[in-house]
Amino acid sequence: MVQLGNFWYIFFILLAVGITVGLYFLLRNKSMKTKKIFIASVLFFNLGLHFFRLLFPPFAGNPSMIMENAWFINICAVSVLTFPFLFLSKSDTAKDWMFYIGVISGFLALVYPTEALGDSVATFDVWRFYLCHIIIIVIPLLMILLKVHHLNYRNVWKMPFCMMAVLLFI
């Protein structure tokens, strides 16, 4: 069972760090094309995983719950649903958004995992929750660490406006 500060709580945080470090060392000497294909593939995998959860309890067989939880229910869901397309876009502002929001929201979800607290680690949804949020953190970090994208700090002023626009859909 996941509880604040217990073994599984710490395990998933360390797993996120390990995946970040491992993927960095695995990809650092690869071509830019390989890095971009890998990042896009992981983002689309995360998108698929977001909808795949609807086949398992408590969503399976509950159409109202499916419609309520499949779309823009929180900032992390927005990230999962939009990051693949933002990454493929040519917009530097969109990629800056991915970094700032992905790292902040994914980190906060790992530090205080509201959806996983009190749930058994033996459930699909707990592992999906952590995998999706680890991807939300790791991929934007790798974009910067692997120099796939360079942050433009002049775009920081746009982020609160992007956040307000996103919050209109949640």
Side-chain angles (χ1 to χ4, degrees):
M1 183 172 296
V2 178
Q3 296 294 334
L4 291 178
N6 76 354
F7 170 80
W8 289 108
Y9 175 84
I10 294 167
F11 169 80
F12 285 116
I13 291 173
L14 292 176
L15 181 64
V17 172
I19 288 172
T20 304
V21 171
L23 287 176
Y24 171 75
F25 284 109
L26 181 72
L27 295 168
R28 68 183 173 156
N29 294 322
K30 302 294 183 196
S31 70
M32 188 58 66
K33 181 179 179 181
T34 302
K35 293 174 189 177
K36 287 181 178 182
I37 289 171
F38 177 81
I39 288 171
S41 299
V42 172
L43 289 171
F44 278 103
F45 168 79
N46 207 21
L47 179 65
L49 189 58
H50 177 76
F51 289 107
F52 188 64
R53 78 181 184 155
L54 302 176
L55 301 175
F56 294 89
F59 304 102
N62 191 343
S64 64
M65 195 171 190
I66 289 174
M67 292 309 295
E68 185 179 308
N69 289 284
W71 307 106
F72 301 113
I73 59 170
N74 57 41
I75 197 68
C76 291
V78 171
S79 298
V80 169
L81 294 168
T82 61
F83 277 13
F85 308 104
L86 296 177
F87 179 73
L88 295 177
S89 78
K90 302 219 183 283
S91 170
D92 285 339
T93 302
K95 291 181 178 111
D96 287 354
W97 165 263
M98 285 178 66
F99 176 77
Y100 293 122
I101 293 305
V103 170
I104 292 169
S105 64
F107 173 75
L108 291 174
L110 288 182
V111 171
Y112 194 74
T114 56
E115 286 183 41
L117 286 177
D119 289 346
S120 170
V121 180
T123 62
F124 170 78
D125 207 45
V126 167
W127 286 90
R128 181 217 50 87
F129 170 84
Y130 278 106
L131 184 56
C132 283
H133 288 89
I134 288 170
I135 290 171
I136 291 172
I137 298 171
V138 170
I139 292 302
L141 274 174
L142 287 176
M143 284 173 31
I144 304 307
L145 293 173
L146 297 172
K147 297 178 178 31
V148 173
H149 174 68
H150 300 280
L151 284 175
N152 181 349
Y153 296 104
R154 286 179 271 177
N155 286 335
V156 169
W157 70 271
K158 298 176 185 176
M159 296 306 124
F161 296 104
C162 292
M163 183 66 167
M164 285 187 275
V166 166
L167 289 175
L168 289 174
F169 292 101
I170 297 177

